[in-house]
Amino acid sequence: MKTKTIFLTIFILIFCSATGLAQLKIGYVDSDTIMKQLPDAQDTQRKLDAIIKEWQEELNKMEKDWKTKYDDYQRRKLVLSEQKRAEIEKELVNMEDQINKFRQDKFGVKGELFQKQEELMKPIQNRIFNAIQEVAKEGDYDFIFDRSGDIMFLYAKEQYDVTNLVLEKLK
């Protein structure tokens, strides 16, 4: 994060010195605010939340089933034959593997949730990006930053916040 901020600061300083005494027009948006106020994004987030809830319930059921089987095994293991203990232990390991696979398939880095977010959010993100570009061109801005992301402002005048202009474009 600090590297990006340092790079950005150096870039702006070089750009400012290269343009001489020309004034820069800089604006920023708060993409979190835009996403919270944009109905399409809210609907999409509700869909994603419903999917997550369904998968989480399924995962919880799998974990509960494993725990029940494990507790039963712990209570009975002293009276079970060696062969029966080995069978149950193998079942428990298989159940654990299935739980881990399910978790990875659904919530992992390249899992279904990631793909679903990409599929559902990409069109909304493209709309926002296009609206930001339009606002930048119409307002003759030199730079517009997203203060919700990695680049953080320590000071920014409110007069440069173009979040509401972008929201107006999206309506």
Side-chain angles (χ1 to χ4, degrees):
M1 248 190 275
K2 288 184 179 183
T3 307
K4 280 186 175 181
T5 306
I6 291 169
F7 175 74
L8 179 65
T9 304
I10 291 169
F11 172 76
I12 290 174
L13 289 172
I14 291 170
F15 186 78
C16 288
S17 64
T19 58
L21 298 173
Q23 287 281 18
L24 289 178
K25 189 169 182 186
I26 300 172
Y28 68 92
V29 296
D30 186 335
S31 62
D32 289 341
T33 301
I34 292 171
M35 294 298 276
K36 287 176 186 169
Q37 291 186 24
L38 191 61
D40 292 350
Q42 292 171 348
D43 291 344
T44 299
Q45 190 58 54
R46 278 192 286 276
K47 288 175 190 173
L48 288 170
D49 289 344
I51 291 168
I52 291 169
K53 183 179 179 198
E54 180 183 321
W55 289 342
Q56 191 60 52
E57 287 172 356
E58 196 171 335
L59 183 60
N60 290 344
K61 183 185 179 312
M62 292 169 76
E63 289 172 339
K64 184 180 177 192
D65 291 346
W66 179 89
K67 176 85 168 106
T68 301
K69 187 157 191 85
Y70 177 78
D71 290 345
D72 183 54
Y73 168 74
Q74 287 293 80
R75 280 193 304 275
R76 299 178 348 162
K77 77 177 176 180
L78 295 176
V79 296
L80 294 173
S81 69
E82 187 73 30
Q83 181 182 359
K84 189 65 175 172
R85 270 198 308 257
E87 281 177 31
I88 294 173
E89 287 171 2
K90 186 177 180 182
E91 278 181 58
L92 286 167
V93 168
N94 286 339
M95 288 174 78
E96 209 168 344
D97 289 345
Q98 287 176 344
I99 290 169
N100 290 332
K101 183 179 181 331
F102 181 85
R103 186 179 286 121
Q104 191 62 35
D105 288 349
K106 300 299 183 189
F107 302 105
V109 177
K110 300 235 179 196
E112 286 183 54
L113 178 59
F114 175 80
Q115 293 169 3
K116 206 64 156 155
Q117 283 176 320
E118 187 74 18
E119 170 192 326
L120 296 174
M121 292 304 251
K122 196 70 166 172
I124 295 167
Q125 291 168 339
N126 287 341
R127 262 184 72 212
I128 292 170
F129 180 73
N130 290 337
I132 290 170
Q133 285 189 329
E134 286 178 34
V135 166
K137 288 175 186 170
E138 291 170 6
D140 197 29
Y141 286 90
D142 293 304
F143 298 100
I144 295 181
F145 298 103
D146 182 356
R147 74 178 191 177
S148 303
D150 288 340
I151 299 170
M152 204 165 57
F153 288 97
L154 297 175
Y155 176 78
K157 288 185 178 177
E158 289 297 321
Q159 73 189 57
Y160 291 118
D161 185 352
V162 296
T163 304
N164 289 329
L165 294 172
V166 172
L167 281 168
E168 287 298 319
K169 276 286 176 209
L170 292 168
K171 291 180 181 174

